[in-house]
Short mmCIF file of all heavy atoms in Angstrom, two decimals:
data_model
loop_
_atom_site.label_atom_id
_atom_site.label_comp_id
_atom_site.label_asym_id
_atom_site.label_seq_id
_atom_site.Cartn_x
_atom_site.Cartn_y
_atom_site.Cartn_z
N GLY A 152 1.47 -31.08 -29.78
CA GLY A 152 2.07 -31.89 -30.91
C GLY A 152 3.37 -31.50 -31.31
O GLY A 152 3.96 -31.88 -32.36
N ASP A 153 4.06 -30.75 -30.57
CA ASP A 153 5.42 -30.34 -30.93
C ASP A 153 6.27 -30.25 -29.61
O ASP A 153 5.93 -29.47 -28.71
CB ASP A 153 5.36 -28.93 -31.69
CG ASP A 153 6.79 -28.45 -31.91
OD1 ASP A 153 7.50 -29.01 -32.67
OD2 ASP A 153 7.20 -27.43 -31.36
N ILE A 154 7.36 -30.85 -29.58
CA ILE A 154 8.14 -30.91 -28.34
C ILE A 154 8.65 -29.63 -27.91
O ILE A 154 8.63 -29.17 -26.75
CB ILE A 154 9.32 -31.94 -28.43
CG1 ILE A 154 10.01 -32.08 -27.08
CG2 ILE A 154 10.29 -31.63 -29.51
CD1 ILE A 154 9.16 -32.73 -26.02
N ASN A 155 9.11 -28.76 -28.91
CA ASN A 155 9.63 -27.43 -28.52
C ASN A 155 8.53 -26.51 -28.03
O ASN A 155 8.68 -25.75 -27.01
CB ASN A 155 10.32 -26.75 -29.66
CG ASN A 155 11.74 -27.31 -29.81
OD1 ASN A 155 12.24 -27.87 -28.88
ND2 ASN A 155 12.25 -27.34 -31.01
N ARG A 156 7.33 -26.61 -28.71
CA ARG A 156 6.17 -25.75 -28.25
C ARG A 156 5.78 -26.18 -26.83
O ARG A 156 5.52 -25.39 -26.03
CB ARG A 156 5.03 -25.83 -29.26
CG ARG A 156 4.35 -24.55 -29.46
CD ARG A 156 3.22 -24.62 -30.46
NE ARG A 156 3.68 -24.97 -31.77
CZ ARG A 156 2.96 -25.64 -32.68
NH1 ARG A 156 1.74 -26.12 -32.38
NH2 ARG A 156 3.48 -25.95 -33.82
N SER A 157 5.76 -27.55 -26.63
CA SER A 157 5.25 -28.00 -25.31
C SER A 157 6.24 -27.55 -24.22
O SER A 157 5.90 -27.26 -23.15
CB SER A 157 5.04 -29.50 -25.35
OG SER A 157 6.16 -30.13 -25.45
N ARG A 158 7.55 -27.51 -24.56
CA ARG A 158 8.56 -27.06 -23.63
C ARG A 158 8.24 -25.53 -23.24
O ARG A 158 8.30 -25.21 -21.99
CB ARG A 158 9.93 -27.20 -24.08
CG ARG A 158 10.47 -28.56 -24.13
CD ARG A 158 11.65 -28.73 -24.82
NE ARG A 158 12.24 -30.15 -24.76
CZ ARG A 158 13.05 -30.64 -25.64
NH1 ARG A 158 13.45 -29.95 -26.67
NH2 ARG A 158 13.49 -31.85 -25.45
N ILE A 159 7.87 -24.74 -24.17
CA ILE A 159 7.54 -23.37 -23.89
C ILE A 159 6.36 -23.27 -23.09
O ILE A 159 6.23 -22.49 -22.01
CB ILE A 159 7.36 -22.61 -25.17
CG1 ILE A 159 8.69 -22.48 -25.95
CG2 ILE A 159 6.87 -21.20 -24.91
CD1 ILE A 159 8.57 -21.97 -27.40
N VAL A 160 5.34 -24.08 -23.39
CA VAL A 160 4.04 -24.09 -22.60
C VAL A 160 4.29 -24.50 -21.18
O VAL A 160 3.78 -23.84 -20.25
CB VAL A 160 2.99 -25.02 -23.32
CG1 VAL A 160 1.81 -25.19 -22.46
CG2 VAL A 160 2.53 -24.50 -24.66
N ILE A 161 5.17 -25.47 -20.95
CA ILE A 161 5.40 -25.94 -19.64
C ILE A 161 6.05 -24.83 -18.78
O ILE A 161 5.78 -24.62 -17.67
CB ILE A 161 6.24 -27.26 -19.59
CG1 ILE A 161 5.11 -28.36 -19.95
CG2 ILE A 161 6.77 -27.57 -18.26
CD1 ILE A 161 5.77 -29.66 -20.29
N ALA A 162 7.06 -24.14 -19.39
CA ALA A 162 7.72 -23.01 -18.72
C ALA A 162 6.71 -22.00 -18.43
O ALA A 162 6.74 -21.36 -17.30
CB ALA A 162 8.81 -22.49 -19.59
N ALA A 163 5.77 -21.81 -19.24
CA ALA A 163 4.73 -20.73 -19.09
C ALA A 163 3.80 -21.15 -17.92
O ALA A 163 3.52 -20.34 -17.07
CB ALA A 163 3.93 -20.62 -20.31
#
Side-chain angles (χ1 to χ4, degrees):
Chain A
D153 175 63
I154 184 70
N155 280 336
R156 215 179 300 150
S157 70
R158 282 167 177 161
I159 293 169
V160 169
I161 285 168

